[in-house]
Amino acid sequence: MTGRKAAKERHVVLHTLRWEAGEIGRSVHRAFTVAGSERNTAVQSLKAAAAALLAWAVAGWWWEAPMALMAPWTALFLMHNTVYRSLLSALQQFVVVLVGTLLAAGAGVLTHNEMAAMALALPVTVLLGNYARFGSNGLYAPTAALFVLVYGSYTGADILHRLLETLLGAVIGIGVNALVLPPVHTRRVTQLREQLPHSCGDLLHHVADELAADYDQEQARRWYGSAQRLTDVVTELREARRWSAESYRINPARRLRRVPPEPPAAWDFVWDQVTEHTARTMRTLTETAVRPPLPAEARDALAALLRAAGDTCLLDDHLREDGRRDDARTHEARRALARASAAHRRLTAAARTGRGLTSTTGGVIADTRRLLSALLRVADPDAAFDPQLSDQRETPEPACH
């Protein structure tokens, strides 16, 4: 039994290693063949190594500085994903290195003992390193203090050399990041803004198809899980936009790069509403699977509503290269939304003429009304909200049965 268990563990380890090797190979292949995150990571890594080598060549080989390690060390860790972030980190790192060096030097002068100086300097520098304003760069305060005390180099000349070499590494690191293929992050924004309408439309179509037959709570939970992931895509899109905007700050290549047209800021807000109301609708459908179900006529109307709503999502008109909208596409989106509105009226009528308006059917009617109100801005961003879709008084207060 023990031998069989060991053989199984070896099989799992070998399988994991093969999988990991395969993933590494695929990442390397994508880095050479496709413009994406793998290539960006490879470029930034090679730039970091080049910056460190250049800093060592200047500080250690040409200048022969006594603390030459500080220059490549600083240059290596300033290769961030944006030029602005590199500059900000350089300022933070220089401040913490300066403070850590001065605190360690002061402790060394006071105690003339390495262990006692560490006992004085390290608690203060570690606390300073945890100061939120410094972020991850706060770690360099106790590190700089350790360098000073371990090497016993805290004379005025030593401190000056250490700071000059840190400054040299910062200048080289920022310079390499800004002048050699400076990073610009717009691709992820483009991918996500194309993914969101298609994923939302596909989900609504999938739910509409499965509503044609009887569904259970497990199916409805899967729909709700998929809808929740759509709200995560909106959050990811906001983060990608932040990185895109930051990558153009203090970037000498910003005028040389061609920026793809982006929807206005209101676009994100509209899709935040669409995904939120889609998730609410799916959550309500999990309740209809265990409570009194929707009447057959109401279920058919709801399926037609979600299918038309999915069509509206798929017809979302992104800004084209010339910044103009596609009138034909906008017209089709309006027609799809009109079909969805007609299906919503049939859903309301069917729910009332069936077993009465229950808490679950009333919830579905209210949630889909809000979804259509949000989709109105997808079909026509310049349109005002339709009172017939947004007025809460259209549906009476549901009576629980």
Side-chain angles (χ1 to χ4, degrees), residues 333-345:
R334 289 172 179 170
R335 291 182 59 186
L337 186 59
R339 294 195 301 272
S341 299
H344 187 273
R345 289 191 290 271

Side-chain angles (χ1 to χ4, degrees), residues 80-378:
H80 291 281
N81 287 326
T82 66
V83 177
Y84 170 79
R85 188 67 52 178
S86 291
L87 180 59
L88 180 62
S89 293
L91 294 173
Q92 292 173 335
Q93 187 170 335
F94 185 79
V95 170
V96 297
V97 167
L98 172 63
V99 175
T101 299
L102 293 177
L103 287 174
V109 170
L110 284 175
T111 62
H112 298 287
N113 180 276
E114 183 180 291
M115 194 68 184
M118 284 189 182
L120 283 177
L122 287 182
V124 179
T125 54
V126 171
L127 286 173
L128 175 67
N130 288 318
Y131 182 48
R133 293 289 184 183
F134 292 137
S136 60
N137 290 300
L139 176 65
Y140 297 118
T143 305
L146 281 173
F147 279 167
V148 169
L149 296 174
V150 168
Y151 287 103
S153 53
Y154 43 81
T155 65
D158 291 333
I159 293 175
L160 180 61
H161 267 289
R162 188 177 300 277
L163 297 179
L164 287 176
E165 287 144 24
T166 300
L167 184 60
L168 173 65
V171 170
I172 291 176
I174 295 171
V176 170
N177 201 25
L179 300 177
V180 180
L181 299 175
V184 174
H185 303 285
T186 58
R187 188 176 295 109
R188 187 59 178 159
V189 175
T190 303
Q191 292 172 345
L192 289 173
R193 81 173 194 223
E194 291 177 354
Q195 172 191 339
L196 191 56
H198 285 88
S199 297
C200 194
D202 290 344
L203 172 63
L204 291 172
H205 283 169
H206 175 72
V207 175
D209 293 338
E210 292 198 344
L211 274 174
D214 289 336
Y215 66 95
D216 55 26
Q217 192 175 35
E218 186 60 33
Q219 284 177 288
R221 284 176 177 170
R222 287 197 297 270
W223 301 340
Y224 178 59
S226 298
Q228 283 289 87
R229 286 190 289 274
L230 289 177
T231 62
D232 295 339
V233 174
V234 176
T235 303
E236 189 177 351
L237 175 60
R238 289 199 185 100
E239 181 68 13
R241 283 192 188 276
R242 187 182 68 81
W243 274 107
S244 177
E246 184 177 298
S247 69
Y248 277 93
R249 298 174 69 178
I250 322 176
N251 191 330
R254 64 185 183 276
R255 298 185 183 277
L256 303 177
R257 298 290 184 93
R258 184 170 161 221
V259 184
E262 294 186 1
W267 191 89
D268 291 0
F269 177 72
V270 169
W271 278 97
D272 188 19
Q273 289 185 313
V274 172
T275 55
E276 177 64 25
H277 296 320
T278 299
R280 287 184 179 182
T281 301
M282 300 306 137
R283 183 174 58 192
T284 304
L285 288 178
T286 65
E287 299 173 2
T288 64
V290 292
R291 294 185 180 184
L294 293 172
E297 298 85 358
R299 193 170 64 241
D300 292 341
L302 178 60
L305 187 159
L306 295 180
R307 188 171 292 107
D311 293 340
T312 307
C313 292
L314 294 175
L315 289 166
D316 177 57
D317 185 24
H318 301 304
L319 295 180
R320 300 180 298 170
E321 295 295 326
D322 56 4
R324 299 178 181 176
R325 293 180 59 82
D326 187 337
D327 292 338
R329 193 176 180 87
T330 300
H331 179 68
E332 286 298 318
R334 289 172 179 170
R335 291 182 59 186
L337 186 59
R339 294 195 301 272
S341 299
H344 187 273
R345 289 191 290 271
R346 295 200 306 274
L347 170 65
T348 304
R352 286 170 175 165
T353 57
R355 299 182 57 179
L357 194 64
T358 66
S359 60
T360 52
T361 56
V364 170
I365 292 170
D367 291 336
T368 51
R369 185 199 306 114
R370 297 187 187 99
L371 174 61
L372 297 184
S373 296
L375 285 174
L376 178 62
R377 301 302 296 271
V378 174

